[in-house]
Amino acid sequence: MKTKSLILGLIVGAGASAVATLLLAPKSGRELREDIADKSVNVVGMLKEVAYNANTLTEQLKTFSTDSLAAVKDVVEDIEEVVGNWNQSIEPDKQRLKDELKDLQKTVSELEKTIKR
C-alpha cells in the first residue's frame, strides 16, 4: 500500500512539475505545443520506467522477505536442536548432581545431630 502511494505521488509530482514548467515558460503557442508534445513523450517514458522499477523493487522485496523468513526458520530449528542435544547431554549429570545433593543433605543432617549431642 505504501509503495503504491509513493509511486502515485512521484507520478503526480512529476506531471505537475512538467505542466507548471511548460505553462510558466514565456513561449509562443506553437513552441509551447511542440514542447508539450516533446515533454509528454518524455513523461510517458519516465512513467513506464518508474512503473518497471517499482515492479522490480516489489519482486525483490518479496524474494528478500521469503529468503529472510526461511533463514530465520533455519536458525530457530538449529537452536532448538542444539538446546535439545545439550539437555540430553546434561541429563546424566543432572541426576548425579541430585544424588550428590541428597547425600550432602544427609551428611549435613547427621552432622547436626552429632553436634546437638
Side-chain angles (χ1 to χ4, degrees), residues 3-57:
T3 305
K4 288 181 182 179
S5 297
L6 175 66
I7 292 170
L8 183 61
L10 288 172
I11 292 169
V12 169
S17 65
V19 169
T21 301
L22 290 173
L23 293 177
L24 295 175
K27 295 184 179 186
S28 69
R30 184 171 28 145
E31 289 176 332
L32 182 59
R33 285 190 297 276
E34 288 174 358
D35 282 351
I36 289 173
D38 291 342
K39 298 293 181 183
S40 66
V41 171
N42 290 340
V43 169
V44 169
M46 288 186 336
L47 292 178
K48 286 181 181 179
E49 186 177 341
V50 167
Y52 174 78
N53 289 338
N55 287 334
T56 302
L57 179 62

Side-chain angles (χ1 to χ4, degrees), residues 4-115:
K4 288 181 182 179
S5 297
L6 175 66
I7 292 170
L8 183 61
L10 288 172
I11 292 169
V12 169
S17 65
V19 169
T21 301
L22 290 173
L23 293 177
L24 295 175
K27 295 184 179 186
S28 69
R30 184 171 28 145
E31 289 176 332
L32 182 59
R33 285 190 297 276
E34 288 174 358
D35 282 351
I36 289 173
D38 291 342
K39 298 293 181 183
S40 66
V41 171
N42 290 340
V43 169
V44 169
M46 288 186 336
L47 292 178
K48 286 181 181 179
E49 186 177 341
V50 167
Y52 174 78
N53 289 338
N55 287 334
T56 302
L57 179 62
T58 301
E59 291 302 317
Q60 288 174 345
L61 288 174
K62 285 179 185 177
T63 302
F64 176 73
S65 64
T66 302
D67 292 347
S68 298
L69 183 60
V72 168
K73 285 181 180 180
D74 289 344
V75 168
V76 168
E77 289 174 359
D78 290 346
I79 290 172
E80 287 174 345
E81 182 180 344
V82 167
V83 169
N85 290 341
W86 179 74
N87 276 332
Q88 288 177 353
S89 71
I90 65 166
E91 191 61 40
D93 293 330
K94 284 174 34 178
Q95 188 58 44
R96 182 182 52 79
L97 287 172
K98 286 180 183 178
D99 293 342
E100 288 178 9
L101 279 174
K102 285 181 185 178
D103 289 344
L104 188 58
Q105 287 174 342
K106 183 178 177 183
T107 304
V108 168
S109 294
E110 290 174 358
L111 282 173
E112 286 176 345
K113 287 179 185 177
T114 305
I115 291 175

